[in-house]
Amino acid sequence: MNFMATLTKIRDDLFQTRMDSPFPGLTTHAYLWRGPAGNVLFYNPAGEAEFDEIEKLGGVSAQYLSHLDEAGPSLTRIAERFGRQLHAPAAELEAIAKHGRVDAVLDAVRHVDSNEVEVLPTPGHSPGSTCYLVTGAGGERYLFTGDTIFPTAVDTWSTFVVPGRGDPAAMRDSIKLLGSVEPDVVISSAFGGETAIETVDAARWAEIIDQALASVKA
């Protein structure tokens, strides 16, 4: 990985923001993908430290939130700086819209949009949780899992159904859906291990899916 002032270069077309800790015990990153239709920001950085470096890379044309926990005051600042289009799940529109205008509302239908982002509805952690799949410049498929599944330790992935908000049955179905795609790089938002990213092959991805399914409590 090559380090810029505030961004980490993961691939030629993929950059990671610095680690944020919205509250104790939670660590997150956001990711800038230089896609064919423009720069896409997945998740949401908490501050503005990366803005100048992002500007040098061409700014942000679109931003995708995986669920309501990623919404915050920085959504307004990103909109003001870059004029990007915010994409967010319809099921959580009211909560997200408190922090910034949503330009593209994502219904719970799997589809590929005009930014060449495949939208994968994955309720369970929250009603509107959504994952995103894109094909990188080198042909690798990047899967952004939000908080649907995430690493908790070295070689271990898990999930978390928020009590009173999440749905264990929906989570199991969502994890099985993720098991049907074929990612090369898996990238969560929150994480509890050393990194939010893992490069996988088919066998390792099947193992991660099994780990995540085993972590869902009834």
Side-chain angles (χ1 to χ4, degrees), residues 31-207:
Y31 295 85
L32 185 75
W33 173 55
R34 306 185 75 183
N39 288 350
V40 175
L41 183 65
F42 290 100
Y43 315 142
N44 190 36
E48 302 179 30
E50 295 84 6
F51 282 13
D52 288 345
E53 293 296 333
I54 289 173
E55 188 73 61
K56 292 175 184 177
L57 291 171
V60 180
S61 62
Q63 181 180 8
Y64 291 73
L65 300 185
S66 72
H67 67 301
L68 77 171
D69 292 341
E70 293 163 3
S74 59
L75 289 180
T76 297
R77 298 195 293 273
I78 292 170
E80 292 172 347
R81 177 70 179 265
F82 302 110
R84 59 86 179 98
Q85 298 288 300
L86 179 61
H87 299 242
E92 296 170 4
L93 183 61
E94 182 177 355
I96 293 170
K98 293 177 181 178
H99 300 280
R101 186 185 73 192
V102 177
D103 304 290
V105 179
L106 304 176
D107 293 324
V109 178
R110 182 176 180 176
H111 67 281
V112 179
D113 69 13
S114 61
N115 293 314
E116 298 190 22
V117 174
E118 184 169 1
V119 177
L120 301 167
T122 51
H125 176 74
S126 65
S129 287
T130 304
C131 298
Y132 303 105
L133 183 68
V134 303
T135 300
E140 288 184 310
R141 288 159 60 86
Y142 309 149
L143 176 63
F144 298 89
T145 63
D147 287 0
T148 297
I149 64 170
F150 49 87
T152 55
V154 176
D155 295 332
T156 302
W157 285 66
S158 185
T159 191
F160 178 61
V161 177
V162 180
R165 185 182 78 180
D167 183 329
M171 178 64 85
R172 292 188 189 93
D173 288 343
S174 293
I175 294 170
K176 291 174 183 177
L177 171 64
L178 293 181
S180 72
V181 305
E182 299 177 346
D184 299 295
V185 184
V186 188
I187 307 164
S188 70
S189 174
F191 63 100
E194 296 180 355
T195 178
I197 302 173
E198 185 171 341
T199 301
V200 300
D201 58 15
R204 174 57 181 153
W205 183 231
E207 182 180 24

